[in-house]
Amino acid sequence: MEHDQKLSSLESDEIPFFPGHLLTEVVMAFAVLGLVFILAGVWPKELGPPANTIMTPSRIVPEWYFLWLFGLLKIVPELLGLFLSGLLIMGVLLLPWLDRSNNNTLKGRRKILMLIILTVCFMIVLSVIGVKE
């Protein structure tokens, strides 16, 4: 009997999670976030000199699948290289819609096959140029 009275008194003193505890947690989260923002504004941490957006450092080498872009940017001016790489990528992505041939054999698609082989060879040559300093 006494145990039931203690249990009923505990149940009546409980605060429901929503909205009581949730509101407290949200207020504390915003308080901590505000403290972090204030501290970041008062004592900003410098990570080093700002990056030069025009020049890429020589020690940076891209992953192997981007080497052809890196090589292309080495041999042509920046704006032209960006335009050509975008054009090449869009051509590869649009190739299924550009090739309207009904012939499904390799012999019937010689032009597209030659274009793909030339593009892959071009990308390999550009990748070799991208690796060399």
Side-chain angles (χ1 to χ4, degrees):
M1 188 75 153
E2 189 175 311
H3 182 357
D4 291 335
Q5 288 175 349
K6 285 183 182 179
L7 189 60
S8 65
S9 68
L10 283 177
E11 289 175 0
S12 63
D13 292 342
E14 288 181 358
I15 300 172
F17 178 75
F18 182 79
H21 288 295
L22 183 65
L23 183 61
T24 305
E25 295 295 322
V26 169
V27 168
M28 288 307 295
F30 279 125
V32 170
L33 191 63
L35 180 66
V36 168
F37 283 145
I38 289 171
L39 290 176
V42 173
W43 294 298
K45 180 67 177 159
E46 293 294 328
L47 298 175
N52 184 358
T53 57
I54 303 298
M55 193 169 120
T56 304
S58 61
R59 66 185 181 278
I60 293 178
V61 178
E63 295 292 332
W64 64 271
Y65 42 85
F66 287 130
L67 275 174
W68 68 276
L69 285 170
F70 197 66
L72 182 66
L73 290 175
K74 278 186 172 183
I75 62 173
V76 296
E78 289 178 14
L79 192 59
L80 181 64
L82 292 174
F83 177 73
L84 285 176
S85 63
L87 192 65
L88 201 70
I89 290 171
M90 287 304 296
V92 168
L93 292 176
L94 294 176
L95 187 60
W97 289 278
L98 294 175
D99 183 21
R100 306 290 287 180
S101 174
N102 290 332
N103 194 347
N104 289 333
T105 63
L106 286 178
K107 195 170 192 173
R109 294 188 174 211
R110 288 188 186 264
K111 291 179 185 176
I112 293 294
L113 188 60
M114 288 305 296
L115 182 67
I116 290 172
I117 290 172
L118 286 174
T119 303
V120 169
C121 290
F122 181 64
M123 290 170 74
I124 290 171
V125 168
L126 287 176
S127 294
V128 170
I129 291 172
V131 170
K132 292 183 179 180
E133 291 291 328

PDB file of all heavy atoms in Angstrom, residues 7-8 16 23 28 35 39 47-49 57 68 70 76 88 91 93 95-97 100 110 113 125 132:
ATOM      1  N   LEU A   7       4.541   5.581  -5.526  1.00  0.00           N
ATOM      2  CA  LEU A   7       4.483   5.529  -6.975  1.00  0.00           C
ATOM      3  C   LEU A   7       3.527   6.582  -7.538  1.00  0.00           C
ATOM      4  O   LEU A   7       3.844   7.277  -8.506  1.00  0.00           O
ATOM      5  CB  LEU A   7       4.053   4.130  -7.436  1.00  0.00           C
ATOM      6  CG  LEU A   7       4.144   3.852  -8.933  1.00  0.00           C
ATOM      7  CD1 LEU A   7       5.573   4.024  -9.418  1.00  0.00           C
ATOM      8  CD2 LEU A   7       3.647   2.463  -9.233  1.00  0.00           C
ATOM      9  N   SER A   8       2.371   6.752  -6.902  1.00  0.00           N
ATOM     10  CA  SER A   8       1.420   7.752  -7.378  1.00  0.00           C
ATOM     11  C   SER A   8       1.935   9.165  -7.141  1.00  0.00           C
ATOM     12  O   SER A   8       1.691  10.072  -7.933  1.00  0.00           O
ATOM     13  CB  SER A   8       0.058   7.557  -6.733  1.00  0.00           C
ATOM     14  OG  SER A   8       0.147   7.789  -5.341  1.00  0.00           O
ATOM     15  N   PRO A  16       6.161  16.191 -18.156  1.00  0.00           N
ATOM     16  CA  PRO A  16       6.150  15.492 -19.449  1.00  0.00           C
ATOM     17  C   PRO A  16       7.302  15.968 -20.338  1.00  0.00           C
ATOM     18  O   PRO A  16       7.748  17.114 -20.253  1.00  0.00           O
ATOM     19  CB  PRO A  16       4.794  15.865 -20.048  1.00  0.00           C
ATOM     20  CG  PRO A  16       4.379  17.091 -19.346  1.00  0.00           C
ATOM     21  CD  PRO A  16       5.015  17.057 -17.984  1.00  0.00           C
ATOM     22  N   LEU A  23      11.476  21.889 -24.387  1.00  0.00           N
ATOM     23  CA  LEU A  23      11.678  23.333 -24.380  1.00  0.00           C
ATOM     24  C   LEU A  23      12.973  23.696 -23.659  1.00  0.00           C
ATOM     25  O   LEU A  23      13.739  24.544 -24.124  1.00  0.00           O
ATOM     26  CB  LEU A  23      10.477  24.027 -23.725  1.00  0.00           C
ATOM     27  CG  LEU A  23      10.514  25.551 -23.713  1.00  0.00           C
ATOM     28  CD1 LEU A  23      10.544  26.083 -25.132  1.00  0.00           C
ATOM     29  CD2 LEU A  23       9.332  26.097 -22.954  1.00  0.00           C
ATOM     30  N   MET A  28      18.611  25.507 -24.025  1.00  0.00           N
ATOM     31  CA  MET A  28      20.022  25.296 -23.694  1.00  0.00           C
ATOM     32  C   MET A  28      20.868  25.149 -24.963  1.00  0.00           C
ATOM     33  O   MET A  28      22.001  25.640 -25.013  1.00  0.00           O
ATOM     34  CB  MET A  28      20.179  24.059 -22.806  1.00  0.00           C
ATOM     35  CG  MET A  28      19.677  24.265 -21.387  1.00  0.00           C
ATOM     36  SD  MET A  28      20.397  25.707 -20.572  1.00  0.00           S
ATOM     37  CE  MET A  28      22.097  25.238 -20.485  1.00  0.00           C
ATOM     38  N   LEU A  35      26.699  31.201 -27.298  1.00  0.00           N
ATOM     39  CA  LEU A  35      27.995  31.364 -26.646  1.00  0.00           C
ATOM     40  C   LEU A  35      29.133  31.076 -27.619  1.00  0.00           C
ATOM     41  O   LEU A  35      30.132  31.807 -27.655  1.00  0.00           O
ATOM     42  CB  LEU A  35      28.084  30.447 -25.422  1.00  0.00           C
ATOM     43  CG  LEU A  35      29.381  30.510 -24.638  1.00  0.00           C
ATOM     44  CD1 LEU A  35      29.536  31.875 -23.981  1.00  0.00           C
ATOM     45  CD2 LEU A  35      29.413  29.409 -23.594  1.00  0.00           C
ATOM     46  N   LEU A  39      31.906  33.834 -28.703  1.00  0.00           N
ATOM     47  CA  LEU A  39      33.338  33.574 -28.551  1.00  0.00           C
ATOM     48  C   LEU A  39      34.064  33.621 -29.884  1.00  0.00           C
ATOM     49  O   LEU A  39      35.191  34.116 -29.973  1.00  0.00           O
ATOM     50  CB  LEU A  39      33.562  32.225 -27.868  1.00  0.00           C
ATOM     51  CG  LEU A  39      33.171  32.148 -26.399  1.00  0.00           C
ATOM     52  CD1 LEU A  39      33.345  30.733 -25.884  1.00  0.00           C
ATOM     53  CD2 LEU A  39      33.987  33.120 -25.569  1.00  0.00           C
ATOM     54  N   LEU A  47      43.399  30.610 -39.254  1.00  0.00           N
ATOM     55  CA  LEU A  47      43.933  29.320 -39.659  1.00  0.00           C
ATOM     56  C   LEU A  47      45.168  29.447 -40.526  1.00  0.00           C
ATOM     57  O   LEU A  47      45.702  28.465 -40.990  1.00  0.00           O
ATOM     58  CB  LEU A  47      42.853  28.532 -40.404  1.00  0.00           C
ATOM     59  CG  LEU A  47      41.616  28.214 -39.580  1.00  0.00           C
ATOM     60  CD1 LEU A  47      40.575  27.535 -40.450  1.00  0.00           C
ATOM     61  CD2 LEU A  47      41.971  27.330 -38.407  1.00  0.00           C
ATOM     62  N   GLY A  48      45.615  30.644 -40.762  1.00  0.00           N
ATOM     63  CA  GLY A  48      46.781  30.871 -41.604  1.00  0.00           C
ATOM     64  C   GLY A  48      46.478  31.980 -42.591  1.00  0.00           C
ATOM     65  O   GLY A  48      45.433  32.622 -42.536  1.00  0.00           O
ATOM     66  N   PRO A  49      47.403  32.218 -43.491  1.00  0.00           N
ATOM     67  CA  PRO A  49      47.159  33.277 -44.474  1.00  0.00           C
ATOM     68  C   PRO A  49      46.003  32.896 -45.397  1.00  0.00           C
ATOM     69  O   PRO A  49      45.778  31.721 -45.658  1.00  0.00           O
ATOM     70  CB  PRO A  49      48.481  33.349 -45.249  1.00  0.00           C
ATOM     71  CG  PRO A  49      49.129  32.037 -45.041  1.00  0.00           C
ATOM     72  CD  PRO A  49      48.690  31.557 -43.688  1.00  0.00           C
ATOM     73  N   PRO A  57      48.561  26.121 -55.725  1.00  0.00           N
ATOM     74  CA  PRO A  57      49.908  25.756 -55.282  1.00  0.00           C
ATOM     75  C   PRO A  57      50.439  24.559 -56.061  1.00  0.00           C
ATOM     76  O   PRO A  57      49.687  23.684 -56.492  1.00  0.00           O
ATOM     77  CB  PRO A  57      49.713  25.382 -53.799  1.00  0.00           C
ATOM     78  CG  PRO A  57      48.427  26.005 -53.405  1.00  0.00           C
ATOM     79  CD  PRO A  57      47.593  26.082 -54.631  1.00  0.00           C
ATOM     80  N   TRP A  68      42.976  14.679 -66.168  1.00  0.00           N
ATOM     81  CA  TRP A  68      42.826  15.204 -67.520  1.00  0.00           C
ATOM     82  C   TRP A  68      42.364  16.660 -67.491  1.00  0.00           C
ATOM     83  O   TRP A  68      42.780  17.471 -68.322  1.00  0.00           O
ATOM     84  CB  TRP A  68      41.879  14.327 -68.332  1.00  0.00           C
ATOM     85  CG  TRP A  68      40.454  14.350 -67.891  1.00  0.00           C
ATOM     86  CD1 TRP A  68      39.893  13.609 -66.902  1.00  0.00           C
ATOM     87  CD2 TRP A  68      39.424  15.178 -68.415  1.00  0.00           C
ATOM     88  NE1 TRP A  68      38.561  13.918 -66.786  1.00  0.00           N
ATOM     89  CE2 TRP A  68      38.241  14.872 -67.701  1.00  0.00           C
ATOM     90  CE3 TRP A  68      39.357  16.134 -69.423  1.00  0.00           C
ATOM     91  CZ2 TRP A  68      37.030  15.494 -67.952  1.00  0.00           C
ATOM     92  CZ3 TRP A  68      38.149  16.747 -69.679  1.00  0.00           C
ATOM     93  CH2 TRP A  68      37.007  16.430 -68.952  1.00  0.00           C
ATOM     94  N   PHE A  70      43.116  18.761 -65.069  1.00  0.00           N
ATOM     95  CA  PHE A  70      44.296  19.475 -64.605  1.00  0.00           C
ATOM     96  C   PHE A  70      45.259  19.700 -65.772  1.00  0.00           C
ATOM     97  O   PHE A  70      45.818  20.786 -65.931  1.00  0.00           O
ATOM     98  CB  PHE A  70      44.950  18.657 -63.485  1.00  0.00           C
ATOM     99  CG  PHE A  70      45.911  19.411 -62.645  1.00  0.00           C
ATOM    100  CD1 PHE A  70      45.494  20.444 -61.834  1.00  0.00           C
ATOM    101  CD2 PHE A  70      47.250  19.069 -62.645  1.00  0.00           C
ATOM    102  CE1 PHE A  70      46.380  21.133 -61.039  1.00  0.00           C
ATOM    103  CE2 PHE A  70      48.146  19.748 -61.857  1.00  0.00           C
ATOM    104  CZ  PHE A  70      47.709  20.782 -61.047  1.00  0.00           C
ATOM    105  N   VAL A  76      45.969  25.246 -71.816  1.00  0.00           N
ATOM    106  CA  VAL A  76      45.141  26.293 -72.417  1.00  0.00           C
ATOM    107  C   VAL A  76      44.857  27.360 -71.360  1.00  0.00           C
ATOM    108  O   VAL A  76      44.988  27.107 -70.163  1.00  0.00           O
ATOM    109  CB  VAL A  76      43.809  25.724 -72.973  1.00  0.00           C
ATOM    110  CG1 VAL A  76      44.065  24.751 -74.096  1.00  0.00           C
ATOM    111  CG2 VAL A  76      42.991  25.084 -71.899  1.00  0.00           C
ATOM    112  N   LEU A  88      32.967  19.251 -72.954  1.00  0.00           N
ATOM    113  CA  LEU A  88      33.269  17.825 -73.069  1.00  0.00           C
ATOM    114  C   LEU A  88      32.409  16.992 -72.128  1.00  0.00           C
ATOM    115  O   LEU A  88      31.863  15.954 -72.517  1.00  0.00           O
ATOM    116  CB  LEU A  88      34.753  17.595 -72.777  1.00  0.00           C
ATOM    117  CG  LEU A  88      35.349  16.318 -73.299  1.00  0.00           C
ATOM    118  CD1 LEU A  88      35.436  16.364 -74.807  1.00  0.00           C
ATOM    119  CD2 LEU A  88      36.730  16.119 -72.708  1.00  0.00           C
ATOM    120  N   GLY A  91      28.893  16.921 -73.423  1.00  0.00           N
ATOM    121  CA  GLY A  91      28.800  16.031 -74.577  1.00  0.00           C
ATOM    122  C   GLY A  91      28.715  14.573 -74.166  1.00  0.00           C
ATOM    123  O   GLY A  91      27.939  13.798 -74.727  1.00  0.00           O
ATOM    124  N   LEU A  93      27.603  13.452 -71.259  1.00  0.00           N
ATOM    125  CA  LEU A  93      26.320  13.238 -70.603  1.00  0.00           C
ATOM    126  C   LEU A  93      25.152  13.224 -71.584  1.00  0.00           C
ATOM    127  O   LEU A  93      24.165  12.510 -71.367  1.00  0.00           O
ATOM    128  CB  LEU A  93      26.080  14.321 -69.537  1.00  0.00           C
ATOM    129  CG  LEU A  93      26.988  14.266 -68.313  1.00  0.00           C
ATOM    130  CD1 LEU A  93      26.705  15.443 -67.384  1.00  0.00           C
ATOM    131  CD2 LEU A  93      26.809  12.964 -67.556  1.00  0.00           C
ATOM    132  N   LEU A  95      25.381  12.251 -74.769  1.00  0.00           N
ATOM    133  CA  LEU A  95      25.631  11.302 -75.846  1.00  0.00           C
ATOM    134  C   LEU A  95      24.485  10.322 -76.081  1.00  0.00           C
ATOM    135  O   LEU A  95      24.135  10.059 -77.235  1.00  0.00           O
ATOM    136  CB  LEU A  95      26.939  10.546 -75.594  1.00  0.00           C
ATOM    137  CG  LEU A  95      27.422   9.642 -76.707  1.00  0.00           C
ATOM    138  CD1 LEU A  95      27.669  10.459 -77.969  1.00  0.00           C
ATOM    139  CD2 LEU A  95      28.678   8.921 -76.292  1.00  0.00           C
ATOM    140  N   PRO A  96      23.837   9.773 -75.069  1.00  0.00           N
ATOM    141  CA  PRO A  96      22.712   8.865 -75.357  1.00  0.00           C
ATOM    142  C   PRO A  96      21.571   9.539 -76.122  1.00  0.00           C
ATOM    143  O   PRO A  96      20.877   8.879 -76.891  1.00  0.00           O
ATOM    144  CB  PRO A  96      22.237   8.431 -73.962  1.00  0.00           C
ATOM    145  CG  PRO A  96      23.418   8.607 -73.084  1.00  0.00           C
ATOM    146  CD  PRO A  96      24.162   9.780 -73.645  1.00  0.00           C
ATOM    147  N   TRP A  97      21.378  10.825 -75.946  1.00  0.00           N
ATOM    148  CA  TRP A  97      20.304  11.528 -76.656  1.00  0.00           C
ATOM    149  C   TRP A  97      20.787  12.048 -78.010  1.00  0.00           C
ATOM    150  O   TRP A  97      19.983  12.263 -78.907  1.00  0.00           O
ATOM    151  CB  TRP A  97      19.777  12.681 -75.819  1.00  0.00           C
ATOM    152  CG  TRP A  97      18.990  12.193 -74.649  1.00  0.00           C
ATOM    153  CD1 TRP A  97      17.680  11.800 -74.630  1.00  0.00           C
ATOM    154  CD2 TRP A  97      19.463  12.015 -73.318  1.00  0.00           C
ATOM    155  NE1 TRP A  97      17.321  11.393 -73.375  1.00  0.00           N
ATOM    156  CE2 TRP A  97      18.390  11.521 -72.544  1.00  0.00           C
ATOM    157  CE3 TRP A  97      20.692  12.225 -72.686  1.00  0.00           C
ATOM    158  CZ2 TRP A  97      18.518  11.235 -71.193  1.00  0.00           C
ATOM    159  CZ3 TRP A  97      20.810  11.934 -71.346  1.00  0.00           C
ATOM    160  CH2 TRP A  97      19.733  11.450 -70.618  1.00  0.00           C
ATOM    161  N   ARG A 100      21.195   8.999 -82.306  1.00  0.00           N
ATOM    162  CA  ARG A 100      19.826   8.593 -82.607  1.00  0.00           C
ATOM    163  C   ARG A 100      19.776   7.352 -83.506  1.00  0.00           C
ATOM    164  O   ARG A 100      18.720   7.029 -84.037  1.00  0.00           O
ATOM    165  CB  ARG A 100      19.093   9.738 -83.297  1.00  0.00           C
ATOM    166  CG  ARG A 100      19.129  11.057 -82.540  1.00  0.00           C
ATOM    167  CD  ARG A 100      18.307  11.021 -81.319  1.00  0.00           C
ATOM    168  NE  ARG A 100      16.912  11.050 -81.713  1.00  0.00           N
ATOM    169  CZ  ARG A 100      15.914  11.026 -80.882  1.00  0.00           C
ATOM    170  NH1 ARG A 100      16.138  10.972 -79.605  1.00  0.00           N
ATOM    171  NH2 ARG A 100      14.671  11.035 -81.303  1.00  0.00           N
ATOM    172  N   ARG A 110      30.255   3.095 -86.058  1.00  0.00           N
ATOM    173  CA  ARG A 110      31.691   3.387 -86.163  1.00  0.00           C
ATOM    174  C   ARG A 110      32.019   4.835 -85.800  1.00  0.00           C
ATOM    175  O   ARG A 110      33.028   5.091 -85.164  1.00  0.00           O
ATOM    176  CB  ARG A 110      32.192   3.071 -87.566  1.00  0.00           C
ATOM    177  CG  ARG A 110      32.273   1.600 -87.843  1.00  0.00           C
ATOM    178  CD  ARG A 110      32.976   1.362 -89.176  1.00  0.00           C
ATOM    179  NE  ARG A 110      32.936  -0.027 -89.531  1.00  0.00           N
ATOM    180  CZ  ARG A 110      33.919  -0.880 -89.283  1.00  0.00           C
ATOM    181  NH1 ARG A 110      35.005  -0.466 -88.693  1.00  0.00           N
ATOM    182  NH2 ARG A 110      33.805  -2.136 -89.641  1.00  0.00           N
ATOM    183  N   LEU A 113      31.813   5.252 -82.030  1.00  0.00           N
ATOM    184  CA  LEU A 113      32.887   4.479 -81.426  1.00  0.00           C
ATOM    185  C   LEU A 113      34.229   5.185 -81.605  1.00  0.00           C
ATOM    186  O   LEU A 113      35.032   5.257 -80.656  1.00  0.00           O
ATOM    187  CB  LEU A 113      32.921   3.071 -82.028  1.00  0.00           C
ATOM    188  CG  LEU A 113      33.865   2.083 -81.372  1.00  0.00           C
ATOM    189  CD1 LEU A 113      33.507   1.885 -79.915  1.00  0.00           C
ATOM    190  CD2 LEU A 113      33.831   0.755 -82.110  1.00  0.00           C
ATOM    191  N   VAL A 125      46.113  11.392 -72.745  1.00  0.00           N
ATOM    192  CA  VAL A 125      47.228  12.306 -73.033  1.00  0.00           C
ATOM    193  C   VAL A 125      47.189  13.494 -72.082  1.00  0.00           C
ATOM    194  O   VAL A 125      48.226  13.902 -71.527  1.00  0.00           O
ATOM    195  CB  VAL A 125      47.183  12.763 -74.510  1.00  0.00           C
ATOM    196  CG1 VAL A 125      48.136  13.910 -74.759  1.00  0.00           C
ATOM    197  CG2 VAL A 125      47.493  11.600 -75.427  1.00  0.00           C
ATOM    198  N   LYS A 132      52.842  15.451 -65.126  1.00  0.00           N
ATOM    199  CA  LYS A 132      54.177  16.050 -65.268  1.00  0.00           C
ATOM    200  C   LYS A 132      54.154  17.474 -64.734  1.00  0.00           C
ATOM    201  O   LYS A 132      53.237  18.223 -64.946  1.00  0.00           O
ATOM    202  CB  LYS A 132      54.611  16.028 -66.730  1.00  0.00           C
ATOM    203  CG  LYS A 132      54.859  14.635 -67.238  1.00  0.00           C
ATOM    204  CD  LYS A 132      55.351  14.664 -68.654  1.00  0.00           C
ATOM    205  CE  LYS A 132      55.608  13.250 -69.134  1.00  0.00           C
ATOM    206  NZ  LYS A 132      56.082  13.225 -70.493  1.00  0.00           N
TER     207      LYS A 132
END
